Amino acid sequence: MRVPFLISLRTGPAGTFTVRLPRVVSFGYGCRGEVSQIAAEYGSRVCFVTGKRSLKASGALNELVEAAREAGLEVTVFNEVEAEPLVSTVDVVRDTLLTEDCEVVIPVGGGSVIDVGKAAAALVDSELSTADHLAGADMPDDGLPIIAVPTTAGTGAEVTPNAVLRDPKAGVKASLRGEHLLPVAAIVDPQLTMGAPPQVTAYSGLDAFIQALEAYTSLGASPFTNALALEAIVRTGYALRVVYVDPKSWAGRESMALGSLLAGIALASARLGLVHGLAHPIGMQYHLPHGLACALLLPHVVEFNLPACTDKYTACARALGVGEGPGDLLAWTRELLPQLGIETTLKDQGLREEDFAKIIPVTLESGSTKHNPREVGEEDVAALLRHIIDPESPLPAPKEDEADGTRQ
Ligand SMILES: [Fe+2]
């Protein structure tokens, strides 16, 4: 007899799991005031890493730099990080860190900025290029301490030991992973997300929601990550539309920032799923921002995974208050995108069968795909992509052991 799902979810075997966290995780309006004090514990020469425009324009960077100088720190600023960052940008930041003899790296920005800051700090002692490490060369044994300060509610990069980078020469967008990529401190101040424009809010917020959902249903999920991920699903799921419609909503911004942080902690341990496995090669192929690529894949992957995670999708639908079954979660994800101004499709963005040969091998190699709750083979990805292009084209039928969520 099957145990009722809520009981089985709460009392089933806990398994074994390891959680690695920053030494300090600070959250709340105004907590950015702690940055200088924490930095001073690690050294007196700090490098702020940030994006080209937004932070300078909002005044937040000046405020943080001034506070650091007042605390007696020597400050270097690198403010040239682009969206979907390149390995060459990391190389430039590494040179800056060496030239200025920096002791602490403080990325202040969205996921791209934090990823560049983390990668540069972790590779500062390496003789090899960042591209070599992205291609698989061993990571150095040491790095500089990182204090990550996110300004979007999205990637959770402030609490994860990886950095997503692009190498156009190799045609690769992939994750650099290593223990020295994990920040020593994550300072999450929702006020810094207030200035994010609606599209950035929607894309980064959808990434946070999807990361929470994929961490929750991942094969690597544990009771620890489930608790965080479900809270993150509810917070981001409710608040996404609030902050899109009312960008100055303090409660909405707070909920998104907290949900994003919790999702980041969950995914750092549980890993992700097929949305992220597909989003990297598809984003690279069609030049889509990460959050948009994930968003456009979401309803299709939920539909594909439905047979393998009926219990958890039901729990999500109930927690979000959108229904009583897994199909209700699917319907809700379909309705969500247009509510956030996303009317396009992957077909509109150029997805076509001729490109499958480039997309599928990268998808199957991805650690995210390997943690997907439904087993994914070459034919499954092809069938899913065909279904995304043409909804009449059928999804693969679930194998016997996938039909009741047991693989999860
Ligand atoms: Fe993501």
Side-chain angles (χ1 to χ4, degrees):
M1 189 187 79
R2 277 192 85 199
V3 181
F5 86 91
L6 275 176
I7 294 173
S8 68
L9 282 180
R10 287 181 183 156
T11 62
T16 58
F17 57 91
T18 302
V19 181
R20 290 191 178 83
L21 284 170
R23 185 175 69 81
V24 179
V25 177
S26 201
F27 180 86
Y29 280 101
C31 75
R32 65 189 182 282
E34 296 171 26
V35 169
S36 301
Q37 194 191 337
I38 296 170
E41 293 172 27
Y42 292 93
S44 59
R45 291 181 300 281
V46 303
C47 180
F48 283 92
V49 176
T50 190
K52 286 182 177 163
R53 280 188 310 273
S54 55
L55 260 183
K56 228 174 166 181
S58 76
L61 181 65
N62 285 343
E63 183 195 312
L64 289 168
V65 166
E66 278 314 306
R69 288 195 173 123
E70 274 171 33
L73 302 173
E74 257 177 65
V75 174
T76 299
V77 176
F78 180 92
N79 60 3
E80 298 286 318
V81 178
E82 68 282 1
E84 314 293 325
L86 300 166
V87 282
S88 54
T89 306
V90 177
D91 287 333
V92 177
V93 179
R94 288 168 60 187
D95 287 344
T96 306
L97 296 177
L98 288 172
T99 312
E100 302 296 329
D101 200 15
C102 295
E103 295 168 292
V104 185
V105 181
I106 311 177
V108 184
S112 302
V113 163
I114 294 179
D115 282 354
V116 166
K118 283 162 42 173
L123 295 177
V124 72
D125 285 340
S126 173
E127 303 277 304
L128 302 174
S129 71
T130 304
D132 291 335
H133 287 288
L134 196 66
D138 286 345
M139 298 292 286
D141 293 333
D142 209 357
L144 293 178
I146 303 152
I147 299 173
V149 187
T151 61
T152 60
T155 61
E158 67 275 12
V159 288
T160 62
N162 67 303
V164 180
L165 301 172
R166 222 159 34 95
D167 179 358
K169 276 190 202 145
V172 173
K173 181 177 177 185
S175 236
L176 201 64
R177 301 186 70 83
E179 60 177 308
H180 297 296
L181 288 159
L182 182 69
V184 294
I187 308 295
V188 184
D189 186 335
Q191 198 164 354
L192 295 177
T193 70
M194 279 289 180
Q199 194 184 64
V200 171
T201 299
Y203 290 179
S204 56
L206 277 159
D207 189 24
F209 172 78
I210 295 164
Q211 289 179 168
L213 183 65
E214 293 215 288
Y216 186 55
T217 55
S218 162
L219 292 180
S222 68
F224 181 90
T225 57
N226 284 343
L228 299 176
L230 192 58
E231 175 79 13
I233 287 165
V234 175
R235 284 198 174 267
T236 54
Y238 275 121
L240 251 172
R241 280 164 298 176
V242 173
V243 292
Y244 184 72
V245 174
D246 177 11
K248 297 289 173 204
S249 164
W250 278 55
R253 291 289 191 186
E254 182 184 68
S255 225
M256 284 306 301
L258 182 53
S260 166
L261 171 66
L262 298 178
I265 297 171
L267 82 87
S269 169
R271 308 292 299 268
L272 291 164
L274 185 55
V275 171
H276 278 80
L278 280 162
H280 287 175
I282 285 181
M284 185 89 183
Q285 181 70 27
Y286 305 111
H287 309 289
L288 303 176
H290 173 69
L292 178 61
C294 288
L296 296 177
L297 286 160
L298 172 68
H300 305 291
V301 174
V302 169
E303 186 183 5
F304 174 80
N305 280 341
L306 206 81
C309 26
T310 50
D311 288 355
K312 281 194 166 175
Y313 281 173
T314 298
C316 291
R318 288 183 178 174
L320 284 164
V322 299
E324 289 294 320
D328 297 316
L329 180 74
L330 174 60
W332 182 79
T333 61
R334 285 179 174 148
E335 288 161 14
L336 183 62
L337 269 53
Q339 290 171 356
L340 299 172
I342 298 173
E343 301 284 356
T344 185
T345 65
L346 283 169
K347 194 177 170 190
D348 296 340
Q349 297 298 321
L351 180 64
R352 57 199 185 129
E353 189 143 2
E354 293 91 303
D355 297 334
F356 287 7
K358 281 183 252 175
I359 296 168
I360 292 173
V362 183
T363 303
L364 294 176
E365 269 303 298
S366 151
S368 297
T369 305
K370 289 173 184 161
H371 285 79
N372 193 62
R374 184 171 170 187
E375 202 170 356
V376 187
E378 192 177 333
E379 253 319 298
D380 299 315
V381 182
L384 174 60
L385 292 175
R386 262 184 234 114
H387 180 74
I388 292 174
I389 295 169
D390 173 13
E392 299 288 308
S393 177
L395 283 171
K399 296 177 194 84
E400 217 168 81
D401 67 338
E402 292 174 335
D404 62 357
T406 47
R407 190 168 180 261
Q408 190 181 56

